[in-house]
Amino acid sequence: MDTLLAAFSILDRWDVFLALLVGSIGGVLIGAIPGVGPAVAIAILLPATFSMDPIVGLTVLLGIYGSSMYGGSIPAILINTPGTAVNALTTYDGFPMTTRGEARRALSLAYSSSFFGGIFSVICLVLFAPVLAKVAPMFGSREIFLAALLGIILVVVAHRGQSLIAAALACFGILLNTVGLEPVKYSKRYTFEQSWLSSGVDLIVVVLGLFALSQAFYLLQGEDEKIRTTKLRGGLFQGLRELGRHPRVAGVSASFGVVMGMIPGVGEFTAQFLSYTYARRTSKRPEDFGNGSSEGLIAAETANNAVPAAAMVPLLALGIPGEALTAMMLSVFYVHNVVPGPQLFQNDMPFVVALYLALLILNVLVLIFLLFATNGLIKVVKIPNRFLGVGILTLSFVGVYSLRNSFTDCLIAACFGIFGFVLKRLSLPAVPIVLGMVLGGIMEVKLRAGMARVKQPWDFIDRPIAFILFVMILGVLALHIRYVLLERRAAKEEEWSAKKTSTGFGMQMFRRRSFLSEERGKRVREKRSKYSPRSTGPRSRH
């Protein structure tokens, strides 16, 4: 109880409430604009949050992170265009409901499901906070190194079909982190006698380039689309009642979101896929899924909104971000000398609880705002892409320059913007680069600290948690190798089957051609014999 009261005292400030309001409403607006997304907004706002108190800056970023998926459901349902990437599954059942004239019902159901998922996730984590406070001190340098390594491996294997390129990009991120002065003896690495490389490649510069500038370039090179929307009539409260008719789907989907959110590198997509698959398999009307099923919409929206609060667990307990957005938030901690990890749970537990309570309040504010402001938000969908691109480009360069008043940082950001644009056009992930930079630095420091007490290789995993993490790493790698082998075998079997089919088809065509040519020759001989003079006897020889 004392911890809870102390957490409320941290939030009992006018600037924190203003941050809650700006973050929640701003996140909804950003999510409702197709093509922007929370990553771009957080990247642009990062430089501004460095001058704020930790709780204020993190509350703004958490508000954008947690509420953007609420807004992303609006264009997904109304115009079949997801506002954020994680709202893609919402289009499966949301837009068919709109085509049937049930847009108001679909939006109400999406808001209610998102609210339930967010509240469920926060309550679970507040209840588990005492357990995390006891487990976190058991993580030493070796355990955190292995956890960071597991996080990178999970991020790589999560990109099915692109594992090799994801691994290469993660290694590139680790390489970028090694540029400049190394953290122990402060010797120069990969500077090539260039003074501007001595301070290293700044994470925020890379993030702004890869996410904000690349998205600006992508919007600028595209064409503006004419979007038609209709004004909604009636209230949006009926979704809360309809959600109560499917408690099993909502509860299981929220649980998937919590569990998947705590695993680095997994996130909303896996949670959505599992919850949607579960809902379809256990539904009495599985044929409705993809054609406007209320259960499918509940499963998708509940799962993705349960992830943000859960994703804060590895960040706060171990200092290990699970995705690009939490990696950006980690920089806010470091700027204010607040180090996430076991010590944070031991020494500043009220601060951790205050963050979870902020997420709880954010969900309430977002739901109230959406229930009364949806008709106005529909106009946000119509903003031209090129106008957005120019705005993002301007704000991004202003943010980069404000970091260190360096024109060199602007050039580096522009280079990474072009690189991110190329990755986007090739449908390749940029997230492994950011996580490689963040986790690479953690791994280097913890490995050096852990090796001081290691005399033999197996001493590195001689403690229970370290051994469990090592087994998990081996298990993930084994499962991924098995998946790759099975995929290659299936591809070979499909290729062999296609070849066999094509060979059989070729033989059939050859036989058909032979039969047709034989029939054609028979008809020609019959015609010739018909019109030629018949012989009446043996011909004389002269």
Side-chain angles (χ1 to χ4, degrees):
M1 183 59 70
D2 294 337
T3 302
L4 191 61
L5 293 175
F8 274 115
S9 66
I10 294 174
L11 297 176
D12 188 17
R13 293 165 43 184
W14 70 268
D15 53 351
V16 175
F17 179 76
L18 183 62
L20 286 168
L21 201 60
V22 171
S24 58
I25 296 176
V28 171
L29 292 172
I30 289 163
I33 303 173
V36 180
V40 176
I42 290 176
I44 293 173
L45 286 175
L46 267 181
T49 58
F50 291 161
S51 60
M52 304 176 184
D53 287 345
I55 186 64
V56 178
L58 286 170
T59 300
V60 173
L61 300 183
L62 279 174
I64 294 172
Y65 180 27
S67 60
S68 60
M69 286 173 278
Y70 280 88
S73 63
I74 296 174
I77 290 172
L78 296 181
I79 60 174
N80 201 27
T81 302
T84 66
V86 297
N87 291 111
L89 201 59
T90 307
T91 61
Y92 286 17
D93 295 288
F95 186 69
M97 294 174 76
T98 300
T99 57
R100 294 201 307 255
E102 300 176 354
R104 180 171 60 86
R105 176 190 170 213
L107 285 173
S108 176
L109 199 56
Y111 298 159
S112 304
S113 303
S114 299
F115 177 75
F116 176 78
I119 297 295
F120 181 90
S121 177
V122 174
I123 291 175
C124 287
L125 298 173
V126 169
L127 294 176
F128 292 155
V131 179
L132 294 173
K134 293 179 181 179
V135 174
M138 299 179 184
F139 280 77
S141 298
R142 286 174 274 178
E143 286 81 5
I144 293 178
F145 167 80
L146 291 170
L149 179 61
L150 177 62
I152 285 186
I153 292 173
L154 286 172
V155 169
V156 170
V157 302
H159 292 85
R160 293 285 179 90
Q162 295 180 324
S163 299
L164 288 178
I165 190 64
L169 292 172
C171 292
F172 176 62
I174 295 173
L175 176 64
L176 289 175
N177 184 72
T178 61
V179 176
L181 299 176
E182 55 95 7
V184 178
K185 297 182 179 180
Y186 297 102
S187 58
K188 293 182 179 180
R189 298 184 300 192
Y190 304 114
T191 57
F192 305 104
E193 298 183 357
Q194 300 293 320
S195 58
W196 58 275
L197 284 175
S198 298
S199 57
V201 181
D202 192 84
L203 173 66
I204 308 306
V205 174
V206 175
V207 166
L208 280 165
L210 287 176
F211 291 95
L213 290 177
S214 66
Q215 187 64 29
F217 296 151
Y218 186 81
L219 292 172
L220 287 171
Q221 62 87 35
E223 296 182 356
D224 294 331
E225 298 179 2
K226 294 182 180 180
I227 298 173
R228 296 180 180 178
T229 57
T230 57
K231 188 175 181 179
L232 301 176
R233 299 183 182 276
L236 292 168
F237 291 92
Q238 67 177 22
L240 293 170
R241 295 191 297 270
E242 189 169 358
L243 181 67
R245 300 177 195 148
H246 305 283
R248 176 184 52 80
V249 175
V252 173
S253 300
S255 301
F256 276 128
V258 171
V259 175
M260 295 298 109
M262 289 190 289
I263 302 175
V266 178
E268 293 91 348
F269 292 104
T270 306
Q272 280 184 317
F273 173 76
L274 292 175
S275 60
Y276 194 85
T277 303
Y278 169 81
R280 183 171 55 188
R281 288 182 177 178
T282 59
S283 175
K284 295 180 180 178
R285 302 183 64 180
E287 67 277 1
D288 290 346
F289 281 70
N291 298 309
S293 170
S294 58
E295 291 179 278
L297 189 58
I298 290 172
E301 285 296 307
T302 304
N304 64 23
N305 278 271
V307 170
M312 297 296 292
V313 172
L315 177 67
L316 295 174
L318 303 175
I320 297 173
E323 56 182 358
L325 299 178
T326 49
M328 297 180 201
M329 294 180 196
L330 185 62
S331 62
V332 180
F333 282 97
Y334 286 157
V335 166
H336 294 284
N337 293 322
V338 179
V339 181
Q343 297 300 320
L344 184 64
F345 275 79
Q346 284 184 315
N347 304 329
D348 205 356
M349 191 64 186
F351 181 79
V352 177
V353 177
L355 288 177
Y356 287 136
L357 291 177
L359 276 170
L360 190 70
I361 298 169
L362 280 168
N363 281 279
V364 176
L365 289 175
V366 170
L367 182 65
I368 295 173
F369 175 70
L370 284 173
L371 290 177
F372 294 99
T374 298
N375 277 320
L377 286 174
I378 294 175
K379 298 177 182 178
V380 177
V381 179
K382 300 181 180 180
I383 297 178
N385 289 342
R386 292 179 180 176
F387 179 81
L388 285 174
V390 172
I392 293 171
L393 196 67
T394 305
L395 293 173
S396 299
F397 278 120
V398 169
V400 171
Y401 188 78
S402 66
L403 287 172
R404 295 183 291 194
N405 297 329
S406 172
F407 185 70
T408 304
D409 285 345
C410 294
L411 291 177
I412 295 174
C415 292
F416 277 102
I418 295 172
F419 182 55
F421 174 73
V422 173
L423 293 177
K424 197 180 293 290
R425 291 300 300 267
L426 296 175
S427 299
L428 298 177
V431 174
I433 299 176
V434 177
L435 292 179
M437 290 186 69
V438 175
L439 296 179
I442 295 172
M443 289 168 62
E444 181 182 4
V445 173
K446 298 302 179 182
L447 180 62
R448 285 188 169 187
M451 290 300 291
R453 299 181 181 180
V454 174
K455 296 180 180 179
Q456 298 178 354
W458 49 84
D459 290 343
F460 203 86
I461 55 172
D462 61 352
R463 293 191 290 201
I465 295 180
F467 180 75
I468 292 172
L469 289 170
F470 179 71
V471 172
M472 289 176 65
I473 289 172
L474 294 180
V476 170
L477 289 174
L479 288 174
H480 183 66
I481 292 172
R482 179 176 178 271
Y483 166 78
V484 171
L485 293 176
L486 289 175
E487 192 177 42
R488 287 185 178 180
R489 182 183 299 175
K492 287 183 178 179
E493 289 179 355
E494 185 177 353
E495 182 181 356
W496 181 81
S497 177
K499 186 177 180 180
K500 182 179 179 181
T501 304
S502 63
T503 304
F505 179 74
M507 289 297 296
Q508 290 177 5
M509 291 297 295
F510 175 76
R511 291 170 182 170
R512 181 174 176 80
R513 290 195 191 101
S514 301
F515 174 77
L516 290 175
S517 60
E518 185 178 349
E519 290 292 320
R520 193 179 297 111
K522 187 184 296 184
R523 288 196 296 270
V524 169
R525 287 193 296 271
E526 288 178 355
K527 287 182 180 180
R528 287 178 180 176
S529 62
K530 181 177 179 181
Y531 293 102
S532 61
R534 296 183 182 181
S535 59
T536 55
R539 294 185 181 180
S540 60
R541 297 176 181 178
H542 296 285

